[in-house]
Amino acid sequence: MNVLVFIDHVDGHIKKASLEAASYGAQLAQKAGGTAEAIALGNLTEDLATLGKYGIQKVHQVKNDALNTIDAQVYTKVIEQAVQQTGAKVVVFSNNSTGKLVAPRLSVRLKAGLVAGAVALPDTTNGFVVRKNVFSGKAFANVSINTDIKIISLNVNAFTISATGGTAEVVPFNATVDAPKVKVIDTTKASGKVSLTEADIVVSAGRGLKGPENWKMVEDLADSLGAALACSRPVADAHWRPHNEHVGQTGVAIAPNLYIAIGISGAIQHLAGVNRSKVIVVVNKDPEAPFFKAADYGIVGDAFEVVPKMLEAVKKV
Ligand code: FAD
């Protein structure tokens, strides 16, 4: 069962989520007896041969300026050609913004079953059953894909990157590339030094911080941990922080290894976007705050006293 992994990139560099997808695809190919190949579109500056470390044997690269802009229809048609030419039976995407745009379109074009939001390798002992998150991460569903070609999009941070392999062969892939219908006029860099969806650690704060002038200590804590910044929705609505930092049901859904929530009550709509985090630490002055029920570690205390102490402790490590 040959596997093809879609490699997503930003500023010419392979996204961490794609390394997870590569590790996942390689382990699936090994388990199901097949090859693990990858497709990368556009002009990457990073050496694609490094994907061999994650178990990818061959990388097909389509170098074409038209692919530097993500146009879902153009990308879908190129990946469709790669599936047909490589004979792949499973296509793996990361369930990030590009994967969400392209995987469903490819599913329609190839009449291939799609499981979006996978969290584990498929069970291939009796068919092809993929475990995925449902109900905003509150439960799992095991979904069987019965079509000849199968598509999986893997949740970000759901699968451990394994780098034990060697070097991948990189080959040019000749594809027909349509002219994009989308023209990018301007791009704005999201705030924060670390990408929120890719971060291992996220430091997030809510209305308990009283105002935007108090975010310096949160930024310092995030900086010292190499973490991304996030916030609750009212904070973004009040323009204390930019909307790209808002996490939750109506914001970004994240699954970092560590989520630190400061002065956030833990409303269900907030939890819907963060409850897939592996470890949750809550700082709140109200011992009855609902977030403590979802927390692995809780600190009952005033953020203005606790956060500087956390920062001091982190700096000592
Ligand atoms: P608050 O509810 O005001 O809580 C502030 C917390 O800070 C309190 O628990 C308080 O005890 C604590 N606190 C106060 N002072 C301090 C201090 N000095 N030190 C420590 N702790 C302190 N919200 C989201 O976040 N994301 C979403 O995606 C989202 N989507 C929504 C969708 C819908 C349809 C609706 C209706 C609501 C949505 N909400 C969302 C809003 C959500 O219901 C809550 O209102 C919101 O999450 C509350 O934000 P908060 O915890 O920052 O503020």
Side-chain angles (χ1 to χ4, degrees):
M1 189 176 274
N2 293 351
V3 178
L4 184 72
V5 179
F6 170 69
I7 301 300
D8 200 4
H9 55 95
V10 62
D11 298 334
H13 294 283
I14 300 167
K15 285 189 181 172
K16 179 176 150 259
S18 286
L19 302 183
E20 293 167 3
S23 298
Y24 180 94
Q27 287 180 37
L28 172 57
Q30 199 176 26
K31 185 177 169 184
T35 56
E37 300 187 8
I39 175 90
L41 312 183
N43 299 327
L44 280 90
T45 46
E46 194 163 339
D47 183 5
L48 288 168
T50 57
L51 285 168
K53 271 202 278 185
Y54 311 97
I56 297 295
Q57 292 151 273
K58 192 188 268 190
V59 186
H60 304 270
Q61 184 176 21
V62 191
K63 277 193 182 173
N64 187 316
D65 286 346
L67 296 168
N68 288 338
T69 303
I70 297 170
D71 180 312
Q73 289 177 16
V74 177
Y75 265 45
T76 304
K77 283 192 188 171
V78 174
I79 298 168
E80 183 186 9
Q81 294 169 60
V83 174
Q84 282 157 350
Q85 288 187 36
T86 58
K89 291 295 175 200
V90 185
V91 190
V92 178
F93 289 88
S94 169
N95 193 26
N96 60 7
S97 53
T98 316
K100 282 176 185 161
L101 280 174
V102 180
R105 288 176 163 87
L106 188 68
S107 161
V108 172
R109 289 190 72 87
L110 293 172
K111 296 190 173 45
L114 160 69
V115 170
V119 293
L121 283 173
D123 181 351
T124 51
T125 45
N126 190 13
F128 193 94
V129 179
V130 189
R131 173 164 273 228
K132 65 168 283 180
N133 270 137
V134 288
F135 302 126
S136 303
K138 278 205 161 61
F140 296 109
N142 294 328
V143 183
S144 175
I145 310 184
N146 302 322
T147 49
D148 181 35
I149 298 176
K150 302 157 196 350
I151 303 178
I152 298 171
S153 71
L154 176 69
N155 266 350
V156 178
N157 282 341
F159 199 77
T160 309
I161 296 171
S162 152
T164 52
T167 307
E169 181 190 356
V170 182
V171 293
F173 181 74
N174 290 323
T176 308
V177 181
D178 293 346
K181 293 197 175 94
V182 175
K183 187 177 172 198
V184 177
I185 297 162
D186 194 15
T187 52
T188 311
K189 214 148 174 59
S191 61
K193 293 175 188 157
V194 182
S195 153
L196 183 53
T197 48
E198 301 244 309
D200 268 337
I201 307 176
V202 174
V203 177
S204 186
R207 217 152 35 180
L209 282 212
K210 321 285 183 227
E213 66 281 3
N214 296 324
W215 243 260
K216 173 85 172 70
M217 63 179 184
V218 180
E219 286 169 346
D220 288 347
L221 183 61
D223 271 354
S224 59
L225 288 167
L229 284 164
C231 68
S232 65
R233 176 171 157 173
V235 161
D237 285 346
H239 304 293
W240 295 1
R241 298 298 301 175
H243 261 293
N244 65 280
E245 286 182 10
H246 148 207
V247 288
Q249 182 190 317
T250 46
V252 183
I254 54 169
N257 287 321
L258 173 62
Y259 182 69
I260 303 175
I262 303 160
I264 301 177
S265 58
I268 186 132
Q269 297 90 354
H270 185 85
L271 289 176
V274 302
N275 60 8
R276 287 192 293 110
S277 308
K278 296 218 170 69
V279 175
I280 296 180
V281 176
V282 168
V283 179
N284 197 304
K285 69 174 186 185
D286 174 9
E288 301 297 322
F291 220 150
F292 283 122
K293 290 203 178 87
D296 296 283
Y297 300 93
I299 303 170
V300 180
D302 188 325
F304 296 96
E305 289 168 20
V306 175
V307 175
K309 284 188 183 148
M310 287 171 92
L311 187 57
E312 217 178 282
V314 171
K315 279 183 178 161
K316 278 189 196 149
V317 180

